[in-house]
Amino acid sequence: MAEHPVLIGGKWRPAKVTDTFQAANPATGEKLPGIYPLSAWDDCDAALSAAADAANELRRTPTDAIARFLRRFAELIEAGKTALVEQAHLETALPASPRLADVELPRTTSQLRQAADAAVEGSWALPTIDTKNQIRSCFEPIGPVVVFGPNNFPFAFSGVAGGDFAAAIAAGNPAIAKAHPLHPGTGRLLAEAALAALRDTGLPLSTVQMIYKIDHESGRRLVSDSRVGASAFTGSRAAGMALKNAADAVGKPIYLEMSSINPVVVLPGALAERGGKVAADFASSCLMGGGQFCTNAGFVLLFDDARTDQFIDEVKNAFDAGQPPALLSEGVAKGLAYSVKTLVGAGANLLTAPGAGVKGARHPNALLRVTGTQFLAEPEKLQTEAFGSASLCVVARDADEAEAVLSHLEGNLTGCIYSDSQGSDESLYARLAPALRRRVGRLLNDKMPTGVAVSPAMNHGGPFPATGHPGFTAVGIPASLRRFGMLCCYDNVREHRLPASLRNENPNGRMWRLIDGKMTQDSCS
Amino acid sequence: MAEHPVLIGGKWRPAKVTDTFQAANPATGEKLPGIYPLSAWDDCDAALSAAADAANELRRTPTDAIARFLRRFAELIEAGKTALVEQAHLETALPASPRLADVELPRTTSQLRQAADAAVEGSWALPTIDTKNQIRSCFEPIGPVVVFGPNNFPFAFSGVAGGDFAAAIAAGNPAIAKAHPLHPGTGRLLAEAALAALRDTGLPLSTVQMIYKIDHESGRRLVSDSRVGASAFTGSRAAGMALKNAADAVGKPIYLEMSSINPVVVLPGALAERGGKVAADFASSCLMGGGQFCTNAGFVLLFDDARTDQFIDEVKNAFDAGQPPALLSEGVAKGLAYSVKTLVGAGANLLTAPGAGVKGARHPNALLRVTGTQFLAEPEKLQTEAFGSASLCVVARDADEAEAVLSHLEGNLTGCIYSDSQGSDESLYARLAPALRRRVGRLLNDKMPTGVAVSPAMNHGGPFPATGHPGFTAVGIPASLRRFGMLCCYDNVREHRLPASLRNENPNGRMWRLIDGKMTQDSCS
């Protein structure tokens, strides 16, 4: 049986193969039908050349046409929903409903449509006009974008349909998608829909390329190739850093979403007021989806008192009650076991059942505990990300120690503080929040971090090592589009040679532009 | 005689010295009075700690107070103008008037005032509010900013008073300035004014630190230290890359303005229509300030015809007419000689007098010539930046070759195209402009690149290696402030805990905020 072809230059063509692989059903361990290629560099090279050609064409393409493609793609994903959900469920063991069919797929199509709207409206590009000096600028497409999707969201963060993909295309760039090898069939179905949408809407067919798997060396060459504009990666810190080093060395922007333990702080007043509710919410957030979320709460800071012991007991009971959940792969289960071992080795006390003897893509839920003093003795190891349903309780002696613990945290995507509703935690909040704020992209109150709303105000980003730069977000339109723009200034350029967004007349009457220091939807006077 | 102290923690204190140095007058080669310290790492460490404390204080400081400091600093620079201009002239040989007194100093104070206005108005931070989901976000201070100023602008790009400094402070961050060792006395006077302005306006005195010189290893430690928020560097590619590598490895943002040859393209119609004027403008732009500008035109692409030979002759005559200009230092002169040698070694024909035998901080103006074919054979070496008054004429056979030449260009700050006024160059422009556009931050028509207006629409940036990321500009307010912000999202955070810019009420009635998808100066309804 021949392996599946790759999507390059607008065609499904045989891959230049160095090896092949099959996906497995993580729930059963059985191999799934379909042989997929591990591509040689030749495929990357061909994808880059095709994308570079498409980039030139897309620069001359009206944003309306780009938006039509994104919307048509969303329609075709909806039309193919049954097959997509079935395939993704087989390849990930994530529940078909509600997770895949009713949450993640609608999120994906909504992102594509929001990106389409932003592309047409045009304000994302921050058009700025100085009529006195005849200088004008805006963001323009940065060039072909390589998108590495993660294992845990087969649709919404997919390299060929997810948030980075939508943002890259909406900003006017072709995409080179690296499907995730744990769910190649899902990637294939999405890429088929993308190609059909390109055909239906007349966009260059090379606007979307997809390959399934490449070796590490090809990955590093890909993100640092001169034909690339930028790259986006969601995944592990080790893989992300290898790509970052390669891209940085040649000044190619790369946006990474890597590790995050997402600290939660529960203040004593909140615990006294509604400790049972907070424990239930915390456990439920930790266990949802096998804990396989970038924003999974892997760290909870508490204060040393009897109510805290009760809180930890309540969470432990919820953790124990869950069967070892089916994880995305045996690799994820092994990684989780290794991380738990690292935490225990650094002094954490494992409160739940050990993982030894559990087979396949499963690992028991893991709750661990250390004192603040212990944490401060091994702050680095005790921040090991345990991807899956594992959380470390850090019990601080007092406010001083709690502040010291927070001050030792690395950068994270999120940080939460629970406080009581009557104001008894207010002074402690005022003391601890600034230390947490500086270390997280999103600060929450009285709410678990696992939901990531697709809102213009969302920041799914944060200081290193959560991402590579604290000024960018992977979720949230229009901000996510700006990652894939280069700032283009026109100085004394004749008006007919300017892009539409910088000419005197407002191209759609809705675009916000900064004209002579004033934000306006008017044309230049 | 003891060496000058450094400014750390709000005090002039003795440096931890590993060596000392003196500045020289480049016009005479004579050493100038004043012994300055080469600081050991201890000084960097102390500056970082003081700045980290100041960063915490500044986060609680109203933007009005930050603006008052910036404005007071501008006033004190103006009050000290005579001494500042005299010192900078001695240390750089740049003309006291008009350059230093009438152009660069007013530019510097204008930048400080524009930054103050932007800080108070607040729209730079892109405040975004989603009332339905109760998610809000904006840019907040990134943390202490290390600013490395260049040799060629003792005021306007100074680490302690220039554009990066103003942007970092206006965004709410303390600055650690690395003065340029070619003009330490100018840096000292500026830092004295900054400290006085801090005193006058009640800002934390550690908001501004200044050291004079450090070794390479300390520089790398500085930009990658955990206490740093970000760094800004203007200077050579070699020094910039060493700092970039160190900062990138630990995910610390660094904004670099490095090498750029600033290609100019003169189309045949423009040459036929006004060749003499273009040649005069080109030569004048190249020779101004000894050619020591980031946007100096080091490369001009022409088409092979008789008028081109005449153009090159006219430029050569202008180059020959200038005495070897006084450069900023002997080092600059040596670097220029080395670059010219590299260009000649790669096949360029030196049309002007050779530099051998010229002594001190001087080098003859250098005009070189190659064919397009020669350029395409050695595109890398023939893009060697020759910092100073040196330019390479590349004469293309035809449009195909011209396009190929442009397609081999690295990233640059600027690119210019001169075309005729009647439309005869229009099709050639349409063909060549896209290739140039993608490789430059600022595209000009019929205008030399050496002027960099401080306009909101300016982009003083561009693709690597001109800078480290094509999405950022070092000049132009408010965009330059965003480099020094981290994106901070608040999810379900109680209103009294939000920063003023994200509360329901518009804090000043003038700030533009994106509320529920609409850009508005209103409060939340």
Side-chain angles (χ1 to χ4, degrees):
Chain A
M1 192 167 73
E3 66 279 354
H4 281 287
V6 288
L7 178 59
I8 293 177
K11 290 194 197 94
W12 288 101
R13 49 173 256 188
K16 303 284 181 189
V17 175
T18 62
D19 199 355
T20 61
F21 70 100
Q22 282 178 268
N25 180 336
T28 62
E30 282 167 27
K31 288 210 169 166
L32 292 167
I35 309 218
Y36 291 90
L38 192 166
S39 282
W41 170 250
D42 311 58
D43 282 350
C44 301
D45 186 62
L48 284 162
S49 289
D53 289 344
N56 289 333
E57 279 193 70
L58 284 175
R59 281 169 210 273
R60 296 188 294 266
T61 302
T63 52
D64 283 349
I66 291 172
R68 275 196 300 275
F69 160 69
L70 290 166
R71 292 185 186 125
R72 180 66 184 145
F73 187 20
E75 285 171 5
L76 292 177
I77 288 173
E78 283 160 356
K81 180 170 176 169
T82 309
L84 276 165
V85 167
E86 189 185 329
Q87 185 71 31
H89 171 65
L90 279 176
E91 293 181 328
T92 64
L94 294 171
S97 176
R99 163 69 191 260
L100 291 169
D102 308 307
V103 180
E104 195 180 330
L105 192 138
R107 178 196 178 94
T108 309
T109 53
S110 166
Q111 285 174 166
L112 291 165
R113 291 188 173 108
Q114 285 188 43
D117 291 346
V120 172
E121 196 259 358
S123 306
W124 73 271
L126 304 179
T128 304
I129 297 177
D130 173 345
T131 61
K132 190 177 140 229
N133 289 304
Q134 276 307 338
I135 302 177
R136 301 172 186 226
S137 63
C138 64
F139 282 102
E140 293 188 13
I142 201 168
V145 176
V146 184
V147 186
F148 297 82
N151 59 6
N152 60 342
F153 280 90
F155 302 148
F157 285 75
S158 159
V160 72
D164 286 337
F165 172 89
I169 301 277
N173 305 291
I176 298 171
K178 221 282 281 151
H180 198 282
L182 287 186
H183 31 75
T186 310
R188 178 172 48 79
L189 293 176
L190 289 169
E192 283 170 0
L195 182 59
L198 290 171
R199 286 211 181 96
D200 289 353
T201 54
L203 235 54
L205 297 182
S206 299
T207 299
V208 181
Q209 338 278 322
M210 190 189 65
I211 49 184
Y212 291 99
K213 193 174 178 180
I214 51 178
D215 64 19
H216 295 169
E217 174 58 19
S218 292
R220 292 189 292 266
R221 280 177 79 178
L222 195 50
V223 300
S224 54
D225 191 275
S226 65
R227 289 162 289 185
V228 158
S231 300
F233 167 89
T234 307
S236 76
R237 185 163 171 181
M241 288 305 294
L243 295 175
K244 175 172 159 55
N245 291 340
D248 284 344
V250 293
K252 288 288 177 189
I254 183 164
Y255 305 98
L256 307 127
E257 197 213 299
M258 300 184 290
S259 57
S260 186
I261 59 170
N262 304 297
V264 172
V265 181
V266 186
L267 299 183
L271 219 47
E273 183 182 69
R274 55 187 203 283
K277 170 85 169 69
V278 177
D281 287 356
F282 178 76
S284 153
S285 172
C286 289
L287 301 179
M288 185 170 48
Q292 299 165 110
F293 292 102
C294 325
T295 53
N296 183 58
F299 178 105
V300 54
L301 178 63
L302 299 144
F303 288 81
D304 192 5
D305 64 24
R307 188 62 191 86
T308 283
D309 292 338
Q310 188 188 333
F311 174 93
I312 293 174
D313 268 350
E314 288 160 355
V315 173
K316 175 187 174 318
N317 292 339
F319 273 48
D320 281 339
Q323 286 299 314
L327 298 172
L328 290 162
S329 70
E330 277 194 43
V332 168
K334 279 183 191 156
L336 180 54
Y338 188 80
S339 294
V340 170
K341 200 174 151 191
T342 303
L343 294 168
V344 169
N349 185 14
L350 179 62
L351 308 176
T352 45
V358 178
K359 282 183 189 160
R362 291 184 185 270
H363 189 281
N365 305 319
L367 191 70
L368 303 102
R369 177 175 179 156
V370 289
T371 64
T373 313
Q374 284 176 295
F375 178 85
L376 291 170
E378 284 281 14
E380 200 174 313
K381 282 189 188 153
L382 288 170
Q383 289 180 71
T384 301
E385 186 187 30
F387 187 74
S389 46
S391 290
L392 177 68
C393 306
V394 179
V395 181
R397 200 171 46 223
D398 54 23
D400 283 348
E401 193 172 82
E403 193 177 1
V405 167
L406 294 180
S407 301
H408 278 79
L409 290 180
E410 293 189 306
N412 278 280
L413 295 171
T414 70
C416 310
I417 304 181
Y418 279 74
S419 56
D420 86 308
S421 62
Q422 302 306 310
S424 77
D425 286 328
E426 206 61 34
S427 67
L428 200 49
Y429 183 96
R431 179 161 177 199
L432 299 181
L436 187 60
R437 171 72 280 183
R438 292 173 47 196
R439 291 170 174 80
V440 303
R442 178 165 55 118
L443 180 69
L444 301 97
N445 277 185
D446 311 308
K447 189 181 169 188
M448 288 298 159
T450 18
V452 184
V454 184
S455 158
M458 177 51 67
N459 179 16
H460 193 56
F464 183 85
T467 79
H469 189 300
F472 296 104
T473 177
V475 174
I477 292 164
S480 64
L481 274 64
R482 280 191 284 272
R483 296 175 299 158
F484 304 115
M486 69 175 269
L487 186 56
C488 286
C489 173
Y490 296 83
D491 188 341
N492 200 42
V493 170
R494 302 182 196 177
E495 207 204 349
H496 70 279
R497 295 169 175 173
L498 292 170
S501 63
L502 296 181
R503 292 185 193 163
N504 288 338
E505 192 180 331
N506 189 309
N508 58 21
R510 294 184 297 132
M511 188 186 294
W512 285 96
R513 309 192 295 177
L514 188 69
I515 301 182
D516 296 332
K518 284 192 184 146
M519 190 63 84
T520 177
Q521 289 176 305
D522 293 342
S523 294
C524 294
S525 54
Chain B
M1 192 169 73
E3 66 277 354
H4 280 288
V6 287
L7 178 60
I8 294 177
K11 291 195 197 96
W12 289 100
R13 48 173 257 186
K16 303 284 181 189
V17 175
T18 61
D19 200 355
T20 61
F21 69 100
Q22 282 178 269
N25 180 336
T28 63
E30 283 168 26
K31 289 210 168 167
L32 292 166
I35 307 212
Y36 291 91
L38 191 165
S39 281
W41 169 250
D42 311 57
D43 282 351
C44 301
D45 186 61
L48 284 162
S49 289
D53 290 343
N56 289 333
E57 279 193 71
L58 284 175
R59 282 169 209 273
R60 297 188 295 266
T61 302
T63 51
D64 282 350
I66 291 172
R68 276 196 298 276
F69 159 69
L70 290 167
R71 292 185 186 124
R72 180 66 184 145
F73 187 21
E75 285 171 7
L76 292 177
I77 289 173
E78 283 161 354
K81 181 170 178 168
T82 308
L84 275 166
V85 167
E86 188 184 331
Q87 185 72 29
H89 171 66
L90 279 176
E91 292 181 329
T92 63
L94 294 170
S97 177
R99 161 71 190 257
L100 291 169
D102 309 307
V103 179
E104 196 180 329
L105 192 139
R107 178 195 179 95
T108 308
T109 54
S110 167
Q111 286 174 164
L112 290 166
R113 291 188 174 109
Q114 285 188 44
D117 292 346
V120 173
E121 196 260 359
S123 305
W124 73 271
L126 304 178
T128 304
I129 297 177
D130 174 345
T131 61
K132 192 178 137 228
N133 290 304
Q134 277 307 339
I135 303 176
R136 301 171 186 229
S137 64
C138 64
F139 282 102
E140 293 188 12
I142 199 168
V145 175
V146 184
V147 187
F148 297 82
N151 59 6
N152 60 341
F153 279 90
F155 303 148
F157 285 75
S158 159
V160 73
D164 286 336
F165 172 90
I169 300 276
N173 306 292
I176 298 172
K178 222 281 283 151
H180 198 283
L182 287 186
H183 31 74
T186 309
R188 177 172 50 77
L189 293 175
L190 289 169
E192 283 170 359
L195 182 59
L198 290 170
R199 286 210 181 95
D200 289 353
T201 54
L203 234 54
L205 297 183
S206 299
T207 299
V208 181
Q209 337 278 321
M210 191 190 65
I211 49 184
Y212 291 100
K213 192 175 180 180
I214 51 179
D215 64 19
H216 295 169
E217 174 58 20
S218 292
R220 290 189 292 265
R221 281 177 77 177
L222 195 50
V223 299
S224 55
D225 191 276
S226 64
R227 290 162 287 186
V228 157
S231 300
F233 168 89
T234 307
S236 76
R237 186 164 170 180
M241 288 305 293
L243 296 175
K244 175 171 159 55
N245 291 340
D248 284 343
V250 293
K252 289 288 178 189
I254 183 165
Y255 306 98
L256 308 127
E257 197 214 299
M258 300 185 289
S259 57
S260 186
I261 59 170
N262 304 298
V264 172
V265 182
V266 186
L267 299 183
L271 219 48
E273 183 182 69
R274 56 187 203 282
K277 170 84 168 69
V278 177
D281 286 357
F282 179 76
S284 152
S285 172
C286 290
L287 300 179
M288 185 170 48
Q292 298 164 111
F293 293 102
C294 326
T295 53
N296 183 57
F299 178 104
V300 53
L301 178 63
L302 299 143
F303 288 81
D304 192 6
D305 64 23
R307 187 62 191 83
T308 283
D309 292 338
Q310 187 188 333
F311 174 93
I312 293 175
D313 266 353
E314 288 160 356
V315 174
K316 175 187 176 317
N317 291 340
F319 273 48
D320 280 339
Q323 286 299 312
L327 298 172
L328 291 161
S329 69
E330 277 194 44
V332 168
K334 279 183 191 156
L336 180 54
Y338 188 80
S339 294
V340 169
K341 201 175 151 193
T342 303
L343 293 167
V344 169
N349 185 13
L350 180 63
L351 307 175
T352 45
V358 178
K359 282 185 189 162
R362 290 184 185 271
H363 189 281
N365 304 318
L367 191 69
L368 303 101
R369 177 174 180 158
V370 288
T371 64
T373 312
Q374 285 177 295
F375 178 84
L376 291 170
E378 285 280 14
E380 199 174 314
K381 282 189 189 154
L382 288 169
Q383 288 180 72
T384 300
E385 186 187 31
F387 187 73
S389 46
S391 289
L392 176 68
C393 306
V394 179
V395 180
R397 200 172 45 224
D398 54 23
D400 283 348
E401 193 172 82
E403 194 177 1
V405 167
L406 294 180
S407 301
H408 279 79
L409 290 179
E410 293 189 305
N412 278 280
L413 296 170
T414 70
C416 311
I417 305 182
Y418 279 74
S419 56
D420 87 310
S421 63
Q422 302 305 310
S424 77
D425 286 327
E426 206 61 35
S427 66
L428 200 50
Y429 184 96
R431 179 161 178 198
L432 299 182
L436 187 60
R437 171 72 280 183
R438 292 173 46 195
R439 292 170 173 79
V440 303
R442 177 165 54 119
L443 180 70
L444 301 97
N445 276 184
D446 311 308
K447 188 180 168 187
M448 289 297 159
T450 17
V452 183
V454 184
S455 158
M458 177 51 68
N459 179 16
H460 192 57
F464 183 85
T467 79
H469 190 301
F472 296 104
T473 177
V475 174
I477 293 165
S480 64
L481 274 64
R482 281 191 284 271
R483 296 176 299 158
F484 304 115
M486 70 176 268
L487 186 56
C488 285
C489 174
Y490 295 83
D491 188 340
N492 200 41
V493 170
R494 302 182 196 176
E495 207 206 348
H496 70 279
R497 294 169 175 173
L498 292 170
S501 63
L502 296 181
R503 292 187 192 162
N504 288 338
E505 193 181 331
N506 189 310
N508 57 22
R510 294 184 295 132
M511 188 185 294
W512 285 97
R513 308 191 296 177
L514 188 68
I515 300 181
D516 297 331
K518 286 194 182 144
M519 191 63 84
T520 177
Q521 289 175 306
D522 292 343
S523 294
C524 293
S525 54

